[in-house]
Amino acid sequence: MNLEDAKAMIELMKDNDLTEFDYETEDTKIHLKRGGSAVNFSAAPSQPTATAATNLIPETVNAELVGTFYRAPSPEDDPYVSVGDKVVVGQVIGMIEAMKMMHDVKAPYSGTLKQILVGNEESVEYAQPLFEITAE
């Protein structure tokens, strides 16, 4: 995380009239709070996570239930999405099998798929992050 990324987050808060903002990855934890006389910023040491080309922060799509995650409707089919794909609200981007029933994982917002955080046929837990999407 560099100073330009921090400034971009603060501007994002101002532009969207947000008073608090949290961002967390494996090696970075940021809590920003506006109002009063100061903006609080704390971060763990980390490698840069955002590219200079984008100031948008990826949001995660989490598992809504415990089960087995699938990237495609069947082993012979192409994956629902790949990194770099544009997705729209409600688009099926994965599937979770729980108790022999299939449940679609749908994009909660439109944007660009930045990262797939679980492998095909991997067991997932409730609220486990599955995807990162940069909202647009």
Side-chain angles (χ1 to χ4, degrees), residues 1-15 17-24 28-36 38-44 55 57:
M1 167 87 23
N2 61 38
L3 184 57
E4 291 303 312
D5 292 334
K7 287 180 181 179
M9 284 185 222
I10 293 167
E11 286 302 314
L12 183 66
M13 288 179 65
K14 288 179 185 176
D15 293 345
D17 201 27
L18 299 174
T19 57
E20 288 194 49
F21 179 81
D22 290 301
Y23 175 70
E24 188 172 347
T28 302
K29 184 175 183 179
I30 298 169
H31 176 77
L32 299 173
K33 185 172 183 179
R34 275 188 8 156
V39 173
N40 299 323
F41 179 87
S42 62
N55 288 328
I57 297 168

Side-chain angles (χ1 to χ4, degrees), residues 15-93:
D15 293 345
N16 292 287
D17 201 27
L18 299 174
T19 57
E20 288 194 49
F21 179 81
D22 290 301
Y23 175 70
E24 188 172 347
T25 64
E26 282 185 15
D27 52 0
T28 302
K29 184 175 183 179
I30 298 169
H31 176 77
L32 299 173
K33 185 172 183 179
R34 275 188 8 156
S37 60
V39 173
N40 299 323
F41 179 87
S42 62
S46 69
Q47 299 296 322
T49 57
T51 63
T54 179
N55 288 328
L56 300 175
I57 297 168
E59 297 181 48
T60 58
V61 177
N62 299 329
E64 294 183 2
L65 52 123
V66 175
T68 303
F69 174 79
Y70 295 97
R71 291 197 55 211
S74 72
E76 301 82 31
D77 291 332
D78 291 333
Y80 289 107
V81 291
S82 297
V83 172
D85 286 355
K86 300 283 185 191
V87 297
V88 296
V89 173
Q91 177 180 344
V92 176
I93 57 177

